[in-house]
Amino acid sequence: MRNVDVLLHRDFEIGVTDKRLFGAFIEHLGRCVYNGIYEPGHKTADKQGFRQDVMALVRELAPTIMRYPGGNFVSGYNWEDGVGPVKDRPRRLDLAWMSTEPNSFGTNEFIDWCRMADIEPMLAVNLGTRAGDAARNMVEYCNHPSGTTLSDLRRKHGWDKPHDVKFWCLGNEMDGPWQMEAKTATEYGRIAVEAAKMMPWIDPSIELAACGSSGRSMPTYGAWEQTVLEHTFDHVEFISLHTYINNYAGDTPAFLAACDLMDSFIDEVVAIADAVAARRRSSKRIMLSFDEWNVWYRTRRNRQERVLPGWPVAPPILEEIYNMEDALAFGGACISLLNHADRVKAGCLAQLVNVIAPIMTETGGPAWRQTIFHPFAHFSNFGRGRVLRTQIDSPTYAANYYDPRGPQELYFPVPAAPNLKLSAVHDDKAGMLTLFALNRSLTEEMPLRVAAKGFGNLRVEKALQLHHADLKAINSKAAPDKVAPTALSAVRIDGEHVHATLKPASWNVIRVNVAK
Ligand code: AHR
């Protein structure tokens, strides 16, 4: 491949990454909670049943905010079922995942788990089978200090101090027919705005995210965002976006181009939100919460397939095993999120453990890292700072990405996907410039030359690559490190240029010390 050139300057930035961009998601689904983060009796479990081997991997992964308790699950959830003495909590049928929910883990346990992991909690309220009244009561239970029935109930349950949860999602994917009590945009907009009025009347410090479309290929996409924001604009800070990248078509170049469509998705939602603002002559800017994103297709199920005999507790569903090419597509999504740091102010990898997850556990056994663990850990640990504008001169390829979400089967053309997908993040405090670089060519090495202007002296601190000759290579309990980062050698500095050679189909992280 010919030289691929990147030009950036210290002073030209897209935006600063918000701490909340690096979040993840725990849903009551399959073995995410039960036998995932929580497994009383496991040899590493503490007295609350929190697996400490999982906790150690979570710390390494470094998510910053955690969405809970759903997902589809939340649209039928009574938050009251998950608080109070465990022996008194009801067992319920969960119609989202056709399982039995024992409720032995609930909001208070989740908050304790977050505090232990040093992660900010993000709670979703049920706007499917319930509405504003349940939502305001949940805020009062969680955040009101004391002196009312609900706040004193929390104290009686053993949590004296308010949980002080700042980030609240107004339901989940309410546009999706698979959702319990799905709604039209107008129906949802009305319910959401009433909840969004009452919740901050209890605690004015909270921030709210309205549901956007559950995917860019939904038939109501665009119109949904517009109508929902027309109702909620004055009462919310965020609109949500969800994307699950797939390779159903077995077309790896198109799979790796899907993150370019994520870029379009973000740009379009920004445009719609700003159009709603413009009609009001408002300078308020609605920020984006990309609160579900990942690669997911092998274990997707329709409602019929979800019917499991006997309504099991924590069945092993959606346990997607990720391969090398999934990690590449996933890395591309990380780059898309970074490159929209000006407007995407929250993000959640869906999900954290066992369910379409970077961390897998054996019930009663060990925990291990999936291939996608690695790009996320790089993204979160090294992606904090000022994202710089980049000019990229790279060969491109044409792709046609297939996305069957929604009732229609759709192809989305990407006429010119650059072989190089890149983001550059400057952490001024640490004196570090980090380049996240994905070589999307499956066959050719990429000679990369980055002109990093305005920094002065450059010194390579560390360079890593994720590459495997077999794009279908996976990690497993038996071989947990088959796909793992290795050193990227021969990165060199020549004046203000960083030079590297990127393997075909590789994810690369180059850390350049730019401290004066
Ligand atoms: O993350 C799995 C599911 O995907 C979530 O429950 C839902 O919100 C989405 O459709």
Side-chain angles (χ1 to χ4, degrees):
M1 191 188 299
R2 68 167 168 83
N3 274 337
V4 171
D5 278 303
V6 177
L7 174 63
L8 59 88
H9 192 288
R10 188 188 193 287
D11 292 344
F12 297 157
E13 82 177 35
I14 294 171
V16 177
T17 54
D18 194 291
K19 193 173 176 222
R20 288 169 169 164
L21 186 62
F22 309 97
F25 176 28
I26 291 174
E27 177 166 0
H28 282 255
L29 194 183
R31 297 191 311 125
C32 186
V33 171
Y34 305 110
N35 298 336
I37 59 168
Y38 172 80
E39 189 182 339
H42 188 272
K43 66 173 193 280
T44 72
D46 68 4
K47 62 178 190 319
Q48 281 187 284
F50 300 162
R51 278 184 66 155
Q52 295 304 306
D53 58 343
V54 173
M55 185 62 79
L57 288 178
V58 170
R59 291 204 171 100
E60 192 183 318
L61 189 72
T64 50
I65 190 165
M66 197 62 61
R67 186 164 177 253
Y68 173 87
N72 297 341
F73 173 80
V74 79
S75 296
Y77 185 51
N78 300 327
W79 66 266
E80 301 89 336
D81 291 349
V83 299
V86 172
K87 64 174 182 25
D88 299 337
R89 296 186 195 173
R91 289 168 76 82
R92 301 256 188 221
L93 296 183
D94 163 30
L95 304 188
W97 303 106
M98 309 309 261
S99 315
T100 296
E101 173 52 55
N103 282 307
S104 18
F105 186 100
T107 304
N108 297 320
E109 290 80 19
F110 171 69
I111 298 290
D112 281 355
W113 185 90
C114 286
R115 301 295 179 227
M116 181 179 284
D118 193 22
I119 291 172
E120 180 184 353
M122 174 193 283
L123 291 179
V125 296
N126 174 357
L127 295 190
T129 60
R130 305 184 85 183
D133 191 43
R136 69 159 174 148
N137 285 342
M138 190 176 180
V139 174
E140 184 176 333
Y141 178 89
C142 287
N143 284 11
H144 194 67
S146 63
T148 65
T149 300
L150 285 170
S151 55
D152 288 340
L153 188 62
R154 182 199 68 243
R155 297 176 69 218
K156 189 169 143 215
H157 290 159
W159 283 266
D160 190 43
K161 296 250 157 9
H163 293 326
D164 200 21
V165 176
K166 297 290 182 217
F167 198 117
W168 295 78
C169 304
L170 296 166
N172 174 71
E173 294 191 349
M174 297 310 308
D175 62 329
W178 56 86
Q179 210 67 221
M180 282 174 263
E181 298 205 19
K183 296 183 169 39
T184 65
T186 305
E187 288 165 348
Y188 171 69
R190 281 294 306 130
I191 288 172
V193 73
E194 292 305 322
K197 273 161 48 183
M198 289 189 282
M199 293 163 76
W201 283 343
I202 295 167
D203 179 354
S205 73
I206 66 174
E207 293 162 75
L208 298 172
C211 286
S213 296
S214 50
R216 186 170 178 253
S217 56
M218 293 298 287
T220 49
Y221 170 55
W224 173 277
E225 279 73 7
Q226 181 176 329
T227 305
V228 166
L229 283 175
E230 293 289 4
H231 284 280
T232 59
F233 185 88
D234 293 327
H235 301 276
V236 303
E237 284 72 35
F238 296 89
I239 180 111
S240 73
L241 295 82
H242 291 180
T243 287
Y244 291 103
I245 297 174
N246 80 80
N247 193 12
Y248 285 115
D251 178 346
T252 302
F255 183 38
L256 300 187
C259 51
D260 294 13
L261 296 166
M262 232 170 115
D263 294 333
S264 307
F265 188 15
I266 294 169
D267 294 341
E268 290 158 3
V269 174
V270 166
I272 297 166
D274 291 353
V276 175
R279 260 202 295 282
R280 294 164 184 252
R281 286 89 174 158
S282 170
S283 60
K284 175 174 174 178
R285 287 295 170 262
I286 298 287
M287 296 298 164
L288 275 49
S289 173
F290 218 122
D291 49 38
E292 286 188 32
W293 67 271
N294 199 349
V295 170
W296 177 27
Y297 63 105
R298 300 171 186 89
T299 58
R300 284 191 95 127
R301 295 159 158 253
N302 62 36
R303 187 153 283 282
Q304 273 68 42
E305 288 168 326
R306 282 192 208 157
V307 179
L308 302 163
W311 295 88
V313 175
I317 53 174
L318 277 59
E319 300 207 355
E320 189 104 348
I321 298 300
Y322 291 104
N323 62 22
M324 176 65 216
E325 70 179 17
D326 296 331
L328 298 175
F330 183 99
C334 294
I335 291 175
S336 293
L337 292 173
L338 288 171
N339 285 345
H340 291 89
D342 54 337
R343 294 302 289 267
V344 182
K345 294 291 179 189
C348 300
L349 157 61
Q351 298 193 3
L352 185 71
V353 184
N354 290 329
V355 171
I356 47 173
I359 299 170
M360 295 299 289
T361 69
E362 294 284 315
T363 301
W368 48 276
R369 301 171 191 81
Q370 294 236 53
T371 61
I372 60 168
F373 182 100
H374 301 292
F376 189 92
H378 297 153
F379 165 65
S380 182
N381 284 296
F382 306 141
R384 321 285 176 90
R386 308 167 52 237
V387 184
L388 301 181
R389 293 192 183 283
T390 53
Q391 187 69 37
I392 296 178
D393 178 17
S394 160
T396 61
Y397 65 95
N400 212 9
Y401 173 72
Y402 170 72
D403 186 357
R405 188 153 222 203
Q408 330 145 61
E409 301 211 333
L410 298 173
Y411 279 91
F412 294 89
V414 183
N419 282 335
L420 175 68
K421 182 104 184 159
L422 176 134
S423 185
V425 184
H426 175 216
D427 180 345
D428 208 356
K429 251 204 347 246
M432 205 63 68
L433 173 68
T434 302
L435 305 170
F436 299 90
L438 179 66
N439 180 3
R440 296 194 272 196
S441 167
L442 302 186
T443 51
E444 291 188 62
E445 283 198 335
M446 177 184 288
L448 174 68
R449 183 172 61 182
V450 179
K453 307 231 172 229
F455 284 104
N457 283 342
L458 309 180
R459 185 165 55 78
V460 179
E461 180 86 11
K462 191 180 195 168
L464 296 167
Q465 61 181 348
L466 192 68
H467 171 79
H468 197 287
D470 177 7
L471 284 177
K472 307 295 177 195
I474 58 168
N475 291 343
S476 61
K477 181 185 145 202
D481 296 319
K482 190 166 182 178
V483 179
T486 55
L488 172 64
S489 56
V491 179
R492 78 187 162 81
I493 305 290
D494 168 16
E496 59 186 7
H497 287 97
V498 183
H499 295 262
T501 304
L502 311 184
K503 290 220 163 92
S506 64
W507 160 261
N508 306 271
V509 180
I510 302 172
R511 308 255 294 150
V512 181
N513 192 316
V514 292
K516 290 272 184 272

